[in-house]
Amino acid sequence: MSGPIRVLVVDDDRGARALHAGFVAATPGFVVTGTAATGAEALSLATAADLVLLDMRLPDISGVEVIHRLRTMGEGEPDVLVISSSRDQTTVRQAMAGRVVGYLIKPFTRAALQERLAHYAATRAARPETPRDVPLGQGEIDRLFTGGIRTARRSPAALPKGLAPTTLERVVAALDPVIARTAAQVATECGLSSATAHRYLTHLVETGAIDIAHRYGRRGRPQVLYRLTPDTAPSGPGDAPGAR
């Protein structure tokens, strides 16, 4: 994985393509290899990219369909970071099912995108160099179906001092893989102080169990939002105590 990360920017709006391409070009370690205005054009250029910044609203085929077609490319398929104003649950869940590396709501700032790109670069560098199509054994397949909430089920010894497993489970159960929540909302739902809720959320972020995003208003500091990562979310109503 030497060299800069190659990025394809896909958006039907010419101004948005130029703006987002400029954000990427200003990010160390990344280079823009092309831009596309349609899904068909994106698919034709995707083989030359490591990462596709993909809008979900395209004039020919949907972003969801683009993701599905990219996933048939095999070992050379690029990663996808969604950049879209679409925030309905159906679209977000379909994107998550397509194994996207993130979902960033438009409009966003250069800092917000660069934060996501930096996180992507770090996780990409840590990936094992193994083919995507390595056959799985039956035990590995079973674990994929029954993984559940891994972080919340860790033994007490694995938690930092001052954190309790039962409280951690309550915090995880208060989160959602689609609807992002603030620390104050989590604290209220769990009956915790804001400071206590923040300690648990910080731990979950550090272990990769939840993602963070920022909501930028007209004034003041951006609001921090938290949501479960797809592989941490429970697969059924009985997966964890307090799961809803």
Side-chain angles (χ1 to χ4, degrees):
M1 296 183 183
S2 60
I5 296 173
R6 304 167 300 167
V7 180
L8 171 65
V9 179
V10 183
D11 200 298
D12 64 337
D13 183 272
R14 179 183 301 177
R17 287 197 306 275
L19 180 66
H20 299 156
F23 288 171
V24 174
T27 306
F30 290 83
V31 60
V32 178
T33 58
T35 62
T38 67
E41 189 176 5
L43 292 169
S44 69
L45 298 174
T47 54
D50 302 307
L51 177 67
V52 177
L53 267 58
L54 179 65
D55 186 20
M56 300 301 278
R57 297 180 179 179
L58 300 173
D60 50 350
I61 58 178
S62 70
V64 171
E65 180 63 23
V66 172
I67 294 171
H68 289 169
R69 296 190 189 184
L70 289 175
R71 293 299 171 251
T72 67
M73 291 175 56
E75 188 176 345
E77 71 185 55
D79 292 317
V80 176
L81 171 62
V82 173
I83 49 172
S84 179
S85 59
S86 298
R87 53 199 311 165
D88 59 282
Q89 292 196 30
T90 298
T91 300
V92 176
R93 290 185 185 277
Q94 288 177 332
M96 289 169 60
R99 307 192 312 276
V100 299
V101 298
Y103 199 112
L104 191 57
I105 297 294
K106 295 194 297 186
F108 48 80
T109 65
R110 181 172 74 172
L113 177 59
Q114 290 183 327
E115 179 183 4
R116 295 299 182 97
L117 293 177
H119 176 72
Y120 168 74
T123 56
R124 174 182 168 86
R127 289 179 188 172
E129 292 288 347
T130 55
R132 293 176 182 263
D133 58 353
V134 172
L136 299 177
Q138 183 63 58
E140 294 171 305
I141 293 173
D142 291 342
R143 283 193 293 275
L144 289 176
F145 277 90
T146 60
I149 301 179
R150 300 169 305 184
T151 304
R153 296 191 181 282
R154 290 181 177 180
S155 63
L159 294 177
K161 185 178 180 180
L163 301 188
T166 54
T167 305
L168 184 65
E169 290 184 351
R170 286 162 52 201
V171 171
V172 172
L175 295 165
D176 187 87
V178 175
I179 306 300
R181 294 188 169 94
T182 65
Q185 290 172 321
V186 173
T188 299
E189 185 162 344
C190 296
L192 304 171
S193 69
S194 296
T196 299
H198 188 265
R199 286 201 303 272
Y200 281 91
L201 291 168
T202 299
H203 170 69
L204 290 167
V205 170
E206 291 174 348
T207 58
I210 60 176
D211 287 332
I212 62 172
H214 295 88
R215 178 187 293 159
Y216 291 85
R218 295 182 179 179
R219 294 175 144 191
R221 299 174 60 184
Q223 192 174 40
V224 181
L225 303 173
Y226 303 87
R227 71 171 182 86
L228 292 175
T229 56
D231 60 349
T232 305
S235 57
D239 286 347
R244 294 169 289 111

